[in-house]
CSV table of all heavy atoms in Angstrom, one decimal:
chain,number,residue,atom,x,y,z
C,1,MET,N,27.8,21.9,30.7
C,1,MET,CA,27.7,20.8,29.6
C,1,MET,C,27.3,21.5,28.3
C,1,MET,O,27.8,21.0,27.3
C,1,MET,CB,26.7,19.8,30.1
C,1,MET,CG,26.8,18.5,29.3
C,1,MET,SD,25.9,17.2,30.2
C,1,MET,CE,26.3,15.9,29.1
C,2,ASP,N,26.6,22.5,28.3
C,2,ASP,CA,26.1,23.1,27.1
C,2,ASP,C,27.2,23.7,26.2
C,2,ASP,O,27.1,23.7,25.0
C,2,ASP,CB,25.1,24.3,27.4
C,2,ASP,CG,23.8,23.8,28.0
C,2,ASP,OD1,23.5,22.6,27.7
C,2,ASP,OD2,23.2,24.5,28.7
C,3,GLN,N,28.3,24.1,26.8
C,3,GLN,CA,29.4,24.7,25.9
C,3,GLN,C,30.1,23.7,25.0
C,3,GLN,O,30.7,24.0,24.1
C,3,GLN,CB,30.4,25.4,26.8
C,3,GLN,CG,31.3,24.5,27.7
C,3,GLN,CD,30.7,24.1,29.0
C,3,GLN,OE1,29.5,24.2,29.2
C,3,GLN,NE2,31.5,23.6,29.9
C,4,HIS,N,29.9,22.4,25.3
C,4,HIS,CA,30.6,21.4,24.5
C,4,HIS,C,29.6,20.7,23.5
C,4,HIS,O,30.0,19.7,22.8
C,4,HIS,CB,31.2,20.3,25.4
C,4,HIS,CG,32.2,20.9,26.3
C,4,HIS,ND1,33.5,21.3,25.8
C,4,HIS,CD2,32.2,21.1,27.6
C,4,HIS,CE1,34.2,21.7,26.8
C,4,HIS,NE2,33.4,21.7,27.9
C,5,ILE,N,28.4,21.1,23.4
C,5,ILE,CA,27.5,20.5,22.4
C,5,ILE,C,27.9,20.7,21.0
C,5,ILE,O,27.6,19.9,20.2
C,5,ILE,CB,26.1,21.1,22.7
C,5,ILE,CG1,25.5,20.6,24.0
C,5,ILE,CG2,25.1,20.8,21.5
C,5,ILE,CD1,24.2,21.2,24.4
C,6,GLN,N,28.7,21.7,20.7
C,6,GLN,CA,29.1,21.9,19.3
C,6,GLN,C,30.3,21.1,18.9
C,6,GLN,O,30.7,21.2,17.7
C,6,GLN,CB,29.4,23.4,19.1
C,6,GLN,CG,28.2,24.3,19.4
C,6,GLN,CD,27.0,24.0,18.6
C,6,GLN,OE1,27.1,23.7,17.4
C,6,GLN,NE2,25.8,24.0,19.2
C,7,GLY,N,31.0,20.4,19.7
C,7,GLY,CA,32.2,19.7,19.4
C,7,GLY,C,31.9,18.4,18.6
C,7,GLY,O,30.8,18.2,18.1
C,8,THR,N,32.9,17.5,18.4
C,8,THR,CA,32.7,16.3,17.8
C,8,THR,C,31.8,15.4,18.6
C,8,THR,O,31.7,15.6,19.8
C,8,THR,CB,34.0,15.6,17.5
C,8,THR,OG1,34.6,15.2,18.7
C,8,THR,CG2,34.9,16.5,16.6
C,9,TRP,N,31.3,14.3,18.0
C,9,TRP,CA,30.5,13.3,18.7
C,9,TRP,C,31.4,12.7,19.8
C,9,TRP,O,30.9,12.4,20.9
C,9,TRP,CB,29.9,12.3,17.8
C,9,TRP,CG,29.0,11.4,18.5
C,9,TRP,CD1,29.2,10.1,18.9
C,9,TRP,CD2,27.6,11.7,18.9
C,9,TRP,NE1,28.1,9.6,19.5
C,9,TRP,CE2,27.2,10.5,19.6
C,9,TRP,CE3,26.8,12.8,18.9
C,9,TRP,CZ2,25.9,10.4,20.1
C,9,TRP,CZ3,25.6,12.7,19.4
C,9,TRP,CH2,25.1,11.5,20.0
C,10,GLU,N,32.6,12.4,19.5
C,10,GLU,CA,33.5,11.8,20.5
C,10,GLU,C,33.7,12.7,21.7
C,10,GLU,O,33.8,12.2,22.8
C,10,GLU,CB,34.8,11.4,19.8
C,10,GLU,CG,34.8,10.3,18.8
C,10,GLU,CD,34.2,10.7,17.5
C,10,GLU,OE1,34.2,11.9,17.1
C,10,GLU,OE2,33.7,9.8,16.8
C,11,GLU,N,33.9,14.0,21.4
C,11,GLU,CA,34.0,14.9,22.5
C,11,GLU,C,32.7,15.0,23.4
C,11,GLU,O,32.8,15.1,24.6
C,11,GLU,CB,34.3,16.3,22.0
C,11,GLU,CG,35.7,16.4,21.4
C,11,GLU,CD,35.9,17.7,20.6
C,11,GLU,OE1,35.0,18.3,20.1
C,11,GLU,OE2,37.1,18.2,20.6
C,12,PHE,N,31.6,14.9,22.7
C,12,PHE,CA,30.3,14.9,23.4
C,12,PHE,C,30.2,13.7,24.3
C,12,PHE,O,29.9,13.8,25.5
C,12,PHE,CB,29.2,15.0,22.4
C,12,PHE,CG,27.8,15.1,23.1
C,12,PHE,CD1,27.4,16.1,23.9
C,12,PHE,CD2,26.9,14.0,22.9
C,12,PHE,CE1,26.2,16.2,24.5
C,12,PHE,CE2,25.7,14.1,23.5
C,12,PHE,CZ,25.3,15.1,24.3
C,13,GLU,N,30.6,12.5,23.8
C,13,GLU,CA,30.5,11.3,24.6
C,13,GLU,C,31.5,11.4,25.8
C,13,GLU,O,31.2,10.9,26.9
C,13,GLU,CB,30.8,10.1,23.8
C,13,GLU,CG,29.6,9.8,22.8
C,13,GLU,CD,29.8,8.5,22.0
C,13,GLU,OE1,31.0,8.2,21.7
C,13,GLU,OE2,28.8,7.9,21.7
C,14,ALA,N,32.7,12.0,25.6
C,14,ALA,CA,33.7,12.1,26.6
C,14,ALA,C,33.1,13.0,27.7
C,14,ALA,O,33.3,12.8,28.9
C,14,ALA,CB,35.0,12.7,26.1
C,15,LEU,N,32.4,14.1,27.3
C,15,LEU,CA,31.8,15.0,28.3
C,15,LEU,C,30.7,14.3,29.1
C,15,LEU,O,30.6,14.5,30.3
C,15,LEU,CB,31.2,16.2,27.5
C,15,LEU,CG,30.4,17.2,28.4
C,15,LEU,CD1,31.4,17.8,29.4
C,15,LEU,CD2,29.8,18.2,27.6
C,16,ILE,N,29.9,13.4,28.4
C,16,ILE,CA,28.9,12.6,29.2
C,16,ILE,C,29.6,11.7,30.2
C,16,ILE,O,29.2,11.7,31.4
C,16,ILE,CB,28.1,11.8,28.2
C,16,ILE,CG1,27.2,12.7,27.3
C,16,ILE,CG2,27.2,10.8,29.0
C,16,ILE,CD1,26.5,11.9,26.2
C,17,ARG,N,30.7,11.0,29.8
C,17,ARG,CA,31.4,10.2,30.8
C,17,ARG,C,31.9,11.0,31.9
C,17,ARG,O,31.8,10.5,33.1
C,17,ARG,CB,32.5,9.4,30.1
C,17,ARG,CG,32.1,8.3,29.2
C,17,ARG,CD,33.3,7.4,28.7
C,17,ARG,NE,34.1,8.1,27.7
C,17,ARG,CZ,33.8,8.2,26.4
C,17,ARG,NH1,32.7,7.7,26.0
C,17,ARG,NH2,34.6,8.9,25.6
C,18,GLU,N,32.5,12.1,31.7
C,18,GLU,CA,33.0,13.0,32.7
C,18,GLU,C,31.9,13.5,33.6
C,18,GLU,O,32.0,13.5,34.9
C,18,GLU,CB,33.7,14.2,32.1
C,18,GLU,CG,34.3,15.2,33.1
C,18,GLU,CD,34.9,16.4,32.4
C,18,GLU,OE1,35.6,16.2,31.4
C,18,GLU,OE2,34.7,17.5,32.9
C,19,THR,N,30.7,13.9,33.1
C,19,THR,CA,29.6,14.4,33.8
C,19,THR,C,29.0,13.3,34.7
C,19,THR,O,28.7,13.6,35.9
C,19,THR,CB,28.5,15.0,32.9
C,19,THR,OG1,29.1,16.0,32.1
C,19,THR,CG2,27.4,15.5,33.7
C,20,ILE,N,28.8,12.1,34.2
C,20,ILE,CA,28.1,11.1,35.0
C,20,ILE,C,29.1,10.3,35.9
C,20,ILE,O,28.7,9.5,36.7
C,20,ILE,CB,27.3,10.1,34.1
C,20,ILE,CG1,28.2,9.2,33.2
C,20,ILE,CG2,26.2,10.9,33.3
C,20,ILE,CD1,27.4,8.2,32.4
C,21,GLY,N,30.4,10.5,35.6
C,21,GLY,CA,31.4,9.8,36.4
C,21,GLY,C,31.7,8.4,36.2
C,21,GLY,O,32.2,7.7,37.0
C,22,SER,N,31.3,7.9,35.0
C,22,SER,CA,31.5,6.5,34.6
C,22,SER,C,31.4,6.4,33.1
C,22,SER,O,30.9,7.3,32.4
C,22,SER,CB,30.6,5.6,35.3
C,22,SER,OG,29.3,5.8,34.8
C,23,GLY,N,31.8,5.2,32.6
C,23,GLY,CA,31.5,4.9,31.2
C,23,GLY,C,30.1,4.6,31.0
C,23,GLY,O,29.3,4.5,31.9
C,24,PHE,N,29.7,4.4,29.8
C,24,PHE,CA,28.3,4.1,29.4
C,24,PHE,C,28.2,3.5,28.1
C,24,PHE,O,29.2,3.5,27.3
C,24,PHE,CB,27.4,5.4,29.5
C,24,PHE,CG,27.7,6.3,28.3
C,24,PHE,CD1,26.9,6.3,27.2
C,24,PHE,CD2,28.7,7.3,28.4
C,24,PHE,CE1,27.2,7.1,26.1
C,24,PHE,CE2,29.0,8.2,27.4
C,24,PHE,CZ,28.2,8.1,26.2
C,25,ARG,N,27.1,2.9,27.8
C,25,ARG,CA,26.8,2.4,26.4
C,25,ARG,C,25.4,2.9,26.1
C,25,ARG,O,24.5,2.8,26.9
C,25,ARG,CB,26.9,0.9,26.5
C,25,ARG,CG,26.8,0.2,25.1
C,25,ARG,CD,27.1,-1.2,25.1
C,25,ARG,NE,26.6,-1.9,26.3
C,25,ARG,CZ,26.5,-3.2,26.5
C,25,ARG,NH1,26.8,-4.0,25.5
C,25,ARG,NH2,26.1,-3.7,27.5
C,26,TRP,N,25.2,3.3,24.9
C,26,TRP,CA,23.9,3.8,24.5
C,26,TRP,C,22.9,2.7,24.4
C,26,TRP,O,23.2,1.6,23.8
C,26,TRP,CB,24.0,4.4,23.1
C,26,TRP,CG,24.8,5.7,23.0
C,26,TRP,CD1,26.0,5.8,22.4
C,26,TRP,CD2,24.4,7.0,23.5
C,26,TRP,NE1,26.4,7.2,22.5
C,26,TRP,CE2,25.5,7.9,23.1
C,26,TRP,CE3,23.3,7.5,24.1
C,26,TRP,CZ2,25.4,9.2,23.5
C,26,TRP,CZ3,23.3,8.9,24.4
C,26,TRP,CH2,24.3,9.7,24.1
C,27,CYS,N,21.7,2.8,25.0
C,27,CYS,CA,20.6,1.9,24.8
C,27,CYS,C,20.0,2.2,23.4
C,27,CYS,O,19.7,1.4,22.6
C,27,CYS,CB,19.6,2.1,25.9
C,27,CYS,SG,20.1,1.5,27.5
C,28,ILE,N,19.8,3.5,23.2
C,28,ILE,CA,19.3,4.0,21.9
C,28,ILE,C,20.2,5.2,21.6
C,28,ILE,O,20.2,6.3,22.2
C,28,ILE,CB,17.9,4.5,22.1
C,28,ILE,CG1,17.0,3.4,22.5
C,28,ILE,CG2,17.4,5.1,20.7
C,28,ILE,CD1,15.6,3.9,23.0
C,29,ARG,N,21.1,5.0,20.6
C,29,ARG,CA,22.0,6.1,20.2
C,29,ARG,C,21.2,7.1,19.4
C,29,ARG,O,20.7,6.8,18.3
C,29,ARG,CB,23.2,5.6,19.4
C,29,ARG,CG,24.2,6.7,19.1
C,29,ARG,CD,25.4,6.1,18.3
C,29,ARG,NE,26.4,7.1,18.1
C,29,ARG,CZ,26.4,7.9,17.1
C,29,ARG,NH1,25.4,7.9,16.2
C,29,ARG,NH2,27.4,8.8,16.9
C,30,PRO,N,21.1,8.4,19.9
C,30,PRO,CA,20.4,9.4,19.1
C,30,PRO,C,21.2,9.8,17.9
C,30,PRO,O,22.4,9.7,17.8
C,30,PRO,CB,20.2,10.5,20.1
C,30,PRO,CG,21.4,10.3,21.1
C,30,PRO,CD,21.6,8.9,21.1
C,31,GLN,N,20.4,10.3,16.9
C,31,GLN,CA,21.1,10.9,15.7
C,31,GLN,C,21.9,12.1,16.2
C,31,GLN,O,21.4,12.8,17.1
C,31,GLN,CB,20.0,11.3,14.7
C,31,GLN,CG,20.6,11.8,13.4
C,31,GLN,CD,19.5,12.2,12.4
C,31,GLN,OE1,18.3,12.2,12.8
C,31,GLN,NE2,19.9,12.5,11.2
C,32,ASP,N,23.0,12.3,15.6
C,32,ASP,CA,23.9,13.4,16.0
C,32,ASP,C,23.4,14.8,15.5
C,32,ASP,O,23.7,15.2,14.4
C,32,ASP,CB,25.3,13.2,15.5
C,32,ASP,CG,26.3,14.2,16.1
C,32,ASP,OD1,25.9,15.0,17.0
C,32,ASP,OD2,27.4,14.3,15.6
C,33,THR,N,22.5,15.4,16.2
C,33,THR,CA,22.0,16.7,15.9
C,33,THR,C,22.1,17.6,17.2
C,33,THR,O,22.2,17.1,18.3
C,33,THR,CB,20.5,16.7,15.5
C,33,THR,OG1,19.7,16.3,16.6
C,33,THR,CG2,20.3,15.8,14.3
C,34,THR,N,22.2,18.9,17.0
C,34,THR,CA,22.3,19.8,18.1
C,34,THR,C,21.1,19.6,19.1
C,34,THR,O,21.3,19.6,20.3
C,34,THR,CB,22.3,21.3,17.6
C,34,THR,OG1,23.5,21.4,16.8
C,34,THR,CG2,22.4,22.2,18.8
C,35,GLY,N,19.9,19.5,18.5
C,35,GLY,CA,18.7,19.3,19.3
C,35,GLY,C,18.8,18.0,20.2
C,35,GLY,O,18.4,18.0,21.4
C,36,ASN,N,19.3,16.9,19.6
C,36,ASN,CA,19.4,15.7,20.4
C,36,ASN,C,20.5,15.8,21.4
C,36,ASN,O,20.3,15.3,22.5
C,36,ASN,CB,19.7,14.5,19.4
C,36,ASN,CG,18.5,14.0,18.7
C,36,ASN,OD1,17.3,14.4,19.0
C,36,ASN,ND2,18.7,13.3,17.6
C,37,ARG,N,21.6,16.5,21.1
C,37,ARG,CA,22.6,16.7,22.1
C,37,ARG,C,22.1,17.5,23.3
C,37,ARG,O,22.3,17.2,24.5
C,37,ARG,CB,23.8,17.4,21.5
C,37,ARG,CG,24.6,16.5,20.6
C,37,ARG,CD,25.8,17.3,20.1
C,37,ARG,NE,26.6,16.5,19.1
C,37,ARG,CZ,27.9,16.7,18.9
C,37,ARG,NH1,28.5,17.5,19.6
C,37,ARG,NH2,28.5,16.0,17.9
C,38,GLU,N,21.3,18.5,23.0
C,38,GLU,CA,20.7,19.3,24.0
C,38,GLU,C,19.7,18.5,24.9
C,38,GLU,O,19.7,18.6,26.1
C,38,GLU,CB,20.0,20.5,23.4
C,38,GLU,CG,21.0,21.6,22.9
C,38,GLU,CD,20.3,22.7,22.1
C,38,GLU,OE1,19.1,22.6,21.8
C,38,GLU,OE2,21.0,23.6,21.7
C,39,MET,N,18.9,17.7,24.2
C,39,MET,CA,18.0,16.8,24.9
C,39,MET,C,18.7,15.9,25.9
C,39,MET,O,18.3,15.7,27.0
C,39,MET,CB,17.1,16.1,24.0
C,39,MET,CG,16.1,15.1,24.6
C,39,MET,SD,15.2,14.1,23.5
C,39,MET,CE,16.5,13.2,22.7
C,40,VAL,N,19.7,15.2,25.4
C,40,VAL,CA,20.5,14.2,26.2
C,40,VAL,C,21.1,14.9,27.4
C,40,VAL,O,21.1,14.5,28.5
C,40,VAL,CB,21.5,13.5,25.3
C,40,VAL,CG1,22.5,12.7,26.2
C,40,VAL,CG2,20.8,12.5,24.3
C,41,SER,N,21.7,16.1,27.1
C,41,SER,CA,22.4,16.8,28.2
C,41,SER,C,21.4,17.2,29.2
C,41,SER,O,21.6,17.1,30.4
C,41,SER,CB,23.0,18.1,27.6
C,41,SER,OG,24.0,17.8,26.7
C,42,SER,N,20.2,17.7,28.8
C,42,SER,CA,19.2,18.1,29.7
C,42,SER,C,18.7,16.9,30.6
C,42,SER,O,18.5,17.0,31.8
C,42,SER,CB,18.0,18.7,29.0
C,42,SER,OG,16.9,19.0,29.8
C,43,LEU,N,18.5,15.8,29.9
C,43,LEU,CA,18.0,14.6,30.7
C,43,LEU,C,19.0,14.1,31.7
C,43,LEU,O,18.7,13.8,32.8
C,43,LEU,CB,17.7,13.5,29.7
C,43,LEU,CG,16.5,13.6,28.8
C,43,LEU,CD1,16.4,12.6,27.8
C,43,LEU,CD2,15.2,13.6,29.7
C,44,ILE,N,20.3,14.2,31.3
C,44,ILE,CA,21.4,13.8,32.3
C,44,ILE,C,21.4,14.7,33.4
C,44,ILE,O,21.5,14.3,34.6
C,44,ILE,CB,22.7,13.7,31.5
C,44,ILE,CG1,22.7,12.5,30.6
C,44,ILE,CG2,23.9,13.6,32.5
C,44,ILE,CD1,23.9,12.5,29.6
C,45,LEU,N,21.4,16.0,33.2
C,45,LEU,CA,21.5,17.0,34.2
C,45,LEU,C,20.3,16.9,35.2
C,45,LEU,O,20.4,17.1,36.4
C,45,LEU,CB,21.7,18.4,33.7
C,45,LEU,CG,23.0,18.6,32.9
C,45,LEU,CD1,23.0,20.0,32.3
C,45,LEU,CD2,24.2,18.4,33.9
C,46,LYS,N,19.1,16.7,34.6
C,46,LYS,CA,17.9,16.6,35.5
C,46,LYS,C,18.0,15.3,36.3
C,46,LYS,O,17.6,15.3,37.5
C,46,LYS,CB,16.6,16.5,34.6
C,46,LYS,CG,16.2,17.8,34.1
C,46,LYS,CD,15.0,17.7,33.2
C,46,LYS,CE,14.6,19.1,32.6
C,46,LYS,NZ,13.5,19.0,31.7
C,47,ASP,N,18.5,14.2,35.8
C,47,ASP,CA,18.7,13.0,36.5
C,47,ASP,C,19.7,13.2,37.7
C,47,ASP,O,19.5,12.8,38.8
C,47,ASP,CB,19.2,11.9,35.6
C,47,ASP,CG,19.2,10.5,36.3
C,47,ASP,OD1,18.0,10.1,36.6
C,47,ASP,OD2,20.2,10.0,36.6
C,48,ILE,N,20.8,13.9,37.4
C,48,ILE,CA,21.8,14.2,38.5
C,48,ILE,C,21.1,15.1,39.6
C,48,ILE,O,21.3,14.9,40.7
C,48,ILE,CB,23.0,14.9,37.9
C,48,ILE,CG1,23.8,13.8,37.0
C,48,ILE,CG2,23.9,15.4,38.9
C,48,ILE,CD1,24.9,14.4,36.2
C,49,GLU,N,20.4,16.1,39.1
C,49,GLU,CA,19.7,17.0,40.1
C,49,GLU,C,18.7,16.2,41.0
C,49,GLU,O,18.7,16.4,42.2
C,49,GLU,CB,19.0,18.1,39.4
C,49,GLU,CG,18.4,19.1,40.3
C,49,GLU,CD,17.6,20.2,39.5
C,49,GLU,OE1,18.1,20.6,38.5
C,49,GLU,OE2,16.6,20.6,40.0
C,50,SER,N,17.9,15.4,40.4
C,50,SER,CA,16.9,14.6,41.2
C,50,SER,C,17.6,13.5,42.0
C,50,SER,O,17.0,13.1,43.0
C,50,SER,CB,15.9,14.0,40.2
C,50,SER,OG,16.4,13.0,39.4
C,51,GLY,N,18.8,13.1,41.6
C,51,GLY,CA,19.5,12.1,42.4
C,51,GLY,C,20.5,12.8,43.4
C,51,GLY,O,21.4,12.1,43.9
C,52,HIS,N,20.3,14.0,43.7
C,52,HIS,CA,21.1,14.8,44.7
C,52,HIS,C,22.6,14.7,44.4
C,52,HIS,O,23.4,14.4,45.2
C,52,HIS,CB,20.8,14.3,46.1
C,52,HIS,CG,19.4,14.4,46.5
C,52,HIS,ND1,18.7,15.6,46.7
C,52,HIS,CD2,18.4,13.4,46.6
C,52,HIS,CE1,17.4,15.3,47.0
C,52,HIS,NE2,17.2,14.0,46.9
C,53,GLY,N,22.9,14.9,43.1
C,53,GLY,CA,24.3,15.0,42.7
C,53,GLY,C,24.8,13.7,42.1
C,53,GLY,O,26.0,13.6,41.8
C,54,VAL,N,24.0,12.7,42.1
C,54,VAL,CA,24.4,11.3,41.6
C,54,VAL,C,23.6,10.9,40.4
C,54,VAL,O,22.4,11.0,40.4
C,54,VAL,CB,24.3,10.3,42.7
C,54,VAL,CG1,24.7,8.9,42.2
C,54,VAL,CG2,25.1,10.7,43.9
C,55,PHE,N,24.3,10.5,39.3
C,55,PHE,CA,23.6,10.0,38.1
C,55,PHE,C,23.1,8.6,38.4
C,55,PHE,O,23.8,7.7,38.7
C,55,PHE,CB,24.5,10.0,36.9
C,55,PHE,CG,23.9,9.5,35.7
C,55,PHE,CD1,23.0,10.3,35.0
C,55,PHE,CD2,24.2,8.3,35.1
C,55,PHE,CE1,22.4,9.9,33.8
C,55,PHE,CE2,23.6,7.9,33.9
C,55,PHE,CZ,22.7,8.7,33.3
C,56,SER,N,21.8,8.4,38.3
C,56,SER,CA,21.2,7.1,38.7
C,56,SER,C,21.3,6.0,37.6
C,56,SER,O,21.1,4.9,37.9
C,56,SER,CB,19.7,7.3,39.0
C,56,SER,OG,18.9,7.6,37.9
C,57,GLY,N,21.5,6.5,36.4
C,57,GLY,CA,21.6,5.5,35.3
C,57,GLY,C,20.3,5.1,34.7
C,57,GLY,O,20.2,4.1,34.0
C,58,LYS,N,19.2,5.7,35.1
C,58,LYS,CA,17.9,5.4,34.6
C,58,LYS,C,17.5,6.2,33.4
C,58,LYS,O,16.3,6.1,32.9
C,58,LYS,CB,16.8,5.6,35.7
C,58,LYS,CG,17.0,4.7,36.9
C,58,LYS,CD,16.0,4.9,37.9
C,58,LYS,CE,16.2,4.0,39.1
C,58,LYS,NZ,15.2,4.2,40.2
C,59,ASN,N,18.4,6.9,32.8
C,59,ASN,CA,18.2,7.7,31.6
C,59,ASN,C,17.8,6.7,30.5
C,59,ASN,O,18.4,5.6,30.3
C,59,ASN,CB,19.4,8.4,31.2
C,59,ASN,CG,19.2,9.4,30.1
C,59,ASN,OD1,19.1,9.0,29.0
C,59,ASN,ND2,19.2,10.7,30.5
C,60,ALA,N,16.8,7.1,29.7
C,60,ALA,CA,16.3,6.2,28.7
C,60,ALA,C,17.3,5.9,27.5
C,60,ALA,O,17.2,4.9,26.9
C,60,ALA,CB,15.0,6.8,28.1
C,61,PHE,N,18.3,6.8,27.3
C,61,PHE,CA,19.2,6.6,26.3
C,61,PHE,C,20.5,5.9,26.7
C,61,PHE,O,21.1,5.2,25.9
C,61,PHE,CB,19.6,8.0,25.7
C,61,PHE,CG,18.5,8.7,25.1
C,61,PHE,CD1,17.8,9.7,25.7
C,61,PHE,CD2,18.1,8.4,23.8
C,61,PHE,CE1,16.7,10.3,25.1
C,61,PHE,CE2,17.0,9.0,23.2
C,61,PHE,CZ,16.3,10.0,23.9
C,62,ILE,N,20.9,6.0,28.0
C,62,ILE,CA,22.1,5.5,28.4
C,62,ILE,C,21.9,4.3,29.3
C,62,ILE,O,21.0,4.3,30.2
C,62,ILE,CB,22.9,6.6,29.2
C,62,ILE,CG1,23.2,7.7,28.2
C,62,ILE,CG2,24.2,6.0,29.8
C,62,ILE,CD1,23.9,8.9,28.9
C-alpha cells in the first residue's frame, strides 16, 4: 500500500477500495498530506491484520 501514497487522491482512494475489498465513504476525510495518507494506510493494514485478513470497518475515518 505504501508505494501508492504518492499518487493522486483518487488513486489513493482506489487503492483503499482494493485493499479493503469494498467501497467506502469517509466519516472524517483527512486533509491530503503524505502523513495523513500514511496514517490511514497504517490504520487499515492494522485493522486487516487484527481481523485475520478481513477489514472490520471499525476504522475511525472510514
Side-chain angles (χ1 to χ4, degrees):
M1 197 165 184
D2 292 334
Q3 69 273 17
H4 298 287
I5 289 177
Q6 300 304 321
T8 67
W9 186 256
E10 291 77 20
E11 291 170 331
F12 181 65
E13 288 181 331
L15 178 62
I16 292 172
R17 285 190 289 280
E18 180 182 318
T19 301
I20 67 174
S22 69
F24 71 94
R25 188 169 38 164
W26 294 107
C27 292
I28 303 168
R29 185 181 184 272
Q31 184 179 9
D32 186 12
T33 66
T34 300
N36 284 343
R37 288 182 185 209
E38 290 172 351
M39 178 186 59
V40 169
S41 298
S42 175
L43 290 170
I44 288 171
L45 293 175
K46 284 180 185 178
D47 189 68
I48 290 171
E49 183 180 323
S50 68
H52 305 287
V54 178
F55 182 73
S56 71
K58 294 180 182 179
N59 189 289
F61 296 98
I62 298 175

